[in-house]
């Protein structure tokens, strides 16, 4: 995509299938929409989460098990167009599920496939905190609280959420 030629189309005469380029070579599965790279001018050709190239390739053309960035070449069943497979941002909360009221509990976010640029914790008791991947929280009353953690990566326009139920026991 964004290749240039001094005279005519930006591709050599022939058949090109499952390509993202403009003008279209006219092959099977070709698309002309912008691929939506994370940072093309900075050399980051990973795909943003809203790229039309995600799951738009043909697995028959795959010749390696990893992409240009050494990530798995096929995710969610169908290869992406381009050199880098889209890596969905994932998050998991790690914590003991039981704690006594009035005692601190350590909660840790585990980020997979990328880097979170922002985070928002909701502890189920009306309190929140932001932009921390490791937090301590104290619940004052017994009960079951659903902790929610939402992380975002504004580089690749991704947001994902994880949940954990915490049982707060009374005296």
């Amino acid at each position: 995509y964004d290749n240039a030629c001094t005279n005519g189309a930006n591709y050599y005469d022939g058949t090109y299938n499952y390509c993202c380029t403009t003008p279209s070579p006219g092959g099977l599965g070709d698309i002309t929409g912008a691929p939506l790279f994370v940072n093309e001018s900075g050399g980051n050709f990973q795909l943003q989460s809203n790229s039309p190239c995600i799951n738009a390739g043909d697995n028959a053309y795959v010749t390696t098990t990893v992409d240009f960035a050494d990530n798995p070449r096929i995710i969610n069943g169908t290869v992406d167009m381009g050199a880098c497979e889209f890596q969905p941002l994932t998050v998991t909360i790690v914590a003991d599920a039981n704690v006594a009221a009035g005692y601190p509990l350590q909660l840790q976010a585990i980020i997979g496939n990328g880097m979170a640029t922002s985070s928002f914790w909701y502890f189920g008791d009306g309190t929140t905190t932001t932009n921390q991947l490791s937090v301590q929280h104290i619940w004052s009353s017994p009960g079951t609280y659903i902790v929610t953690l939402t992380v975002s990566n504004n580089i690749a326009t991704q947001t994902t959420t994880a949940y954990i139920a915490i049982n707060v026991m009374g005296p």
Side-chain angles (χ1 to χ4, degrees):
Y1 200 84
D2 283 337
N3 296 329
C5 183
T6 56
N7 57 354
N10 64 357
Y11 55 88
Y12 183 76
D13 288 337
T15 301
Y16 296 85
N17 295 326
Y18 299 94
C19 292
C20 178
T21 189
T22 186
S24 173
L28 180 67
D30 290 347
I31 59 175
T32 58
L36 304 178
F37 296 125
V38 168
N39 183 356
E40 183 177 359
S41 63
N44 186 342
F45 296 102
Q46 292 178 307
L47 302 173
Q48 294 183 36
S49 62
N50 56 343
S51 170
C53 295
I54 295 172
N55 297 326
D58 183 337
N59 293 357
Y61 292 96
V62 176
T63 59
T64 64
T65 58
V66 296
D67 68 6
F68 188 72
D70 285 330
N71 291 310
R73 188 60 188 136
I74 297 175
I75 296 175
N76 294 326
T78 305
V79 68
D80 296 343
M81 289 182 182
C84 295
E85 194 77 9
F86 174 70
Q87 301 296 312
L89 181 67
T90 61
V91 64
T92 304
I93 302 170
V94 176
D96 189 338
N98 299 298
V99 67
Y103 287 88
L105 177 67
Q106 186 72 35
L107 299 106
Q108 177 73 42
I110 305 297
I111 306 297
N113 298 330
M115 178 180 72
T117 54
S118 66
S119 65
F120 179 84
W121 291 88
Y122 175 72
F123 298 102
D125 62 357
T127 60
T128 63
T129 193
T130 60
N131 297 328
Q132 296 180 44
L133 296 180
S134 181
V135 296
Q136 273 193 353
H137 189 71
I138 298 172
W139 288 267
S140 58
S141 301
T144 300
Y145 297 87
I146 304 299
V147 175
T148 305
L149 171 61
T150 300
V151 296
S152 297
N153 180 334
N154 61 8
I155 297 168
T157 64
Q158 297 182 70
T159 299
T160 191
T161 302
Y163 305 91
I164 189 171
I166 303 297
N167 299 309
V168 179
M169 298 166 285

